[in-house]
Amino acid sequence: MKKSLCALWLLILLPFGLVQAAEFKLIGRTSWQLGQLMVNGIPFDLDGDTRFKDGLSEDDLGGTWVELEGETQGERRLIRKVEALEEDDEMELEGPVEQGRIWGYVTSDESLAPFEGRWLELECQFDGMRLSRCREED
């Protein structure tokens, strides 16, 4: 309940500029497009505070399956941690559910619908293309 109230306040205050940053987490395959790091067509920024795990570097990110953790600052999505992963059938995601999507992923079973308009942590099944059986992380 407490986490839900915090997320609600974040969604209320974020448009007014009263909240400076919100944490996010996602898993996906990276690509470089016009010098911009992308996951599912969504741009992300690397900076001097970005930490790469297990010998990974910025040069390794094209086409790599990774977990990204970071924070939003206005329209920017700053990556704070990058870790290479093996593609799996389970995903943990933290971020906004908007128009039936989270970080560009859609579901095959409408399991994101109850979370529309919220910023939260979810656990979902992943078939390589779509999410399913999304539920709020405990």
Side-chain angles (χ1 to χ4, degrees):
M1 177 71 172
K2 187 175 183 181
K3 191 182 273 189
S4 295
L5 287 175
C6 289
L8 176 62
W9 277 112
L10 180 65
L11 286 171
I12 292 169
L13 298 176
L14 204 59
F16 297 105
L18 299 174
V19 174
Q20 296 301 316
E23 293 180 357
F24 66 81
K25 179 169 72 171
L26 72 137
I27 297 171
R29 188 162 316 282
T30 58
S31 65
W32 288 102
Q33 295 177 12
L34 302 173
Q36 181 74 56
L37 182 67
M38 309 283 273
V39 175
N40 293 332
I42 300 169
F44 293 87
D45 296 320
L46 302 166
D47 65 13
D49 293 329
T50 302
R51 294 184 337 262
F52 293 90
K53 305 290 272 183
D54 303 321
L56 192 67
S57 75
E58 186 173 332
D59 294 333
D60 301 321
L61 293 181
T64 304
W65 190 257
V66 296
E67 177 179 80
L68 303 177
E69 292 183 22
E71 62 188 26
T72 60
Q73 292 184 356
E75 294 296 314
R76 293 184 70 201
R77 294 168 200 90
L78 298 169
I79 298 170
R80 294 295 170 233
K81 185 176 101 174
V82 181
E83 183 176 359
L85 297 176
E86 295 292 323
E87 193 167 340
D88 195 3
D89 61 353
E90 292 184 16
M91 266 196 201
E92 293 180 11
L93 304 158
E94 178 179 1
V97 177
E98 298 171 333
Q99 299 176 358
R101 298 174 178 265
I102 184 166
W103 297 121
Y105 291 107
V106 296
T107 60
S108 59
D109 63 358
E110 300 295 322
S111 60
L112 286 177
F115 308 115
E116 185 67 35
R118 295 174 53 199
W119 187 292
L120 67 165
E121 293 180 58
L122 295 173
E123 294 176 357
C124 302
Q125 294 297 306
F126 182 64
D127 67 8
M129 296 279 295
R130 293 188 180 116
L131 302 174
S132 63
R133 299 193 318 248
C134 293
R135 64 189 184 290
E136 200 163 358
E137 192 173 278
D138 297 327

